[in-house]
Amino acid sequence: MSFLFSDEHTWLQRDGDTAVMGITVHAQDTLGDIVFVDLPEIGKSFAAKEVAGVVESVKAAADVHMPAGGEILEVNEALRADPSLANSDPLGAGWFFKVKLTKLSDLDALHDEANYKKLTD
């Protein structure tokens, strides 16, 4: 499975009509040491680009935007307990939530890795 990236520096990894989402390496580099994450409640639905959570670092706080619309199926409780996972493994153990995608056409607005890299270089 490949990653897709949003302009708001979140990523999505799709598996059928579900996806795992988190913040990008670029986002966590910019934020610095992450000390707190506010994750959405299970069952809540969000549209693409809507704020679904907040991440706080020693430098700043930032909204976490949905890369694609969906209903929250699961949140990463390990991340809530240890927010530094978003720094140490943002594309793996530092994932934020899993969603049931509700509008697959939202994926058309996302970038593949090569195009996202051009945005952040």
Side-chain angles (χ1 to χ4, degrees):
M1 286 182 282
S2 60
F3 288 91
L4 295 173
F5 301 90
S6 74
D7 292 340
E8 295 80 26
H9 308 293
T10 54
W11 59 264
L12 171 151
Q13 193 172 39
R14 179 181 168 201
D15 184 12
D17 66 347
T18 62
V20 178
M21 300 179 183
I23 63 169
T24 65
V25 171
H26 175 79
Q28 69 84 29
D29 281 346
T30 302
L31 286 165
D33 293 335
I34 295 172
V35 296
F36 175 78
V37 294
D38 181 25
L39 300 172
E41 63 184 69
I42 293 170
K44 189 157 184 184
S45 293
F46 296 91
K49 299 186 183 243
E50 192 173 358
V51 175
V54 175
V55 61
E56 294 181 13
S57 73
V58 294
K59 293 198 288 189
D63 291 332
V64 177
H65 297 265
M66 290 288 284
E71 177 187 343
I72 305 298
L73 298 175
E74 182 181 347
V75 296
N76 186 352
E77 293 297 342
L79 180 65
R80 193 186 316 258
D82 182 7
S84 70
L85 289 172
N87 291 118
S88 62
D89 192 10
L91 302 179
W95 62 275
F96 279 59
F97 36 83
K98 294 181 183 176
V99 301
K100 178 173 179 49
L101 297 169
T102 54
K103 193 172 173 190
L104 294 179
S105 61
D106 287 346
L107 302 178
D108 297 338
L110 301 178
H111 305 282
D112 63 17
E113 190 168 358
N115 285 333
Y116 180 71
K117 188 167 174 46
K118 290 177 190 174
L119 287 174
T120 58
D121 282 346

